[in-house]
Amino acid sequence: MDATTYTTYFYSPIGNLRITGTEAGISSILFCERAGASDKELPATLETCVQQLEEYFQGTRKTFDLPLLPQGTAFQRQVWEKLQTVAYGTTCSYMHIARAVSGEKAIRAVGAANGKNPISIVVPCHRVIGSDGSLTGYAGGLWRKEWLLRHEGVLKETPAQLSLF
């Protein structure tokens, strides 16, 4: 199997995304300041990823169907797998994820794993909020987390009503 890593960029309404992967799957989708040059030939996995991200941002896709190859510890991968069960238009707390994967004492470790999620949006770490309902932590910036949750219909309040810190 070809292990060549390919890169492409996608401009979303909330900034540039750098997508990397192989013919076997997607290894990362990360926000970046500037889009670089995409590889001239891309495997179907990356082309499909771009197509599905376009559909998500257009509001016509609520679930992703992509082969994912995130690199991380066994615990991190367990957290990322659990994140994929949080449905579009819903949220859950860090405590909920901690209880599901390892127990309440793992809440900080869950937060750290969430923050290291290498596959933004598709592995929906933006759907994890504080137990009190506040938006807390997002590697891409809280404004992006708020935008994504509004896009998915979770947030309807005005920004002044949200507790962002």
Side-chain angles (χ1 to χ4, degrees), residues 92-145:
C92 71
S93 69
Y94 291 94
M95 183 62 76
H96 173 83
I97 300 289
R99 286 180 180 140
V101 300
S102 186
E104 290 184 14
K105 292 184 179 180
I107 192 167
R108 288 184 188 268
V110 163
N114 208 45
K116 292 191 183 295
N117 172 20
I119 304 180
S120 298
I121 302 167
V122 172
V123 176
C125 56
H126 61 277
R127 296 180 188 150
V128 182
I129 61 174
S131 294
D132 63 357
S134 64
L135 301 185
T136 59
Y138 187 63
L142 285 176
W143 71 271
R144 284 188 175 114
K145 183 174 192 163

Side-chain angles (χ1 to χ4, degrees), residues 33 36 46 51 61 63 94 100 107 115 124 132 147 154 156 162:
E33 290 300 313
L46 271 75
Q51 177 187 348
R61 175 169 292 277
T63 60
Y94 291 94
I107 192 167
D132 63 357
W147 191 97
V154 173
K156 294 173 179 48
L162 294 174

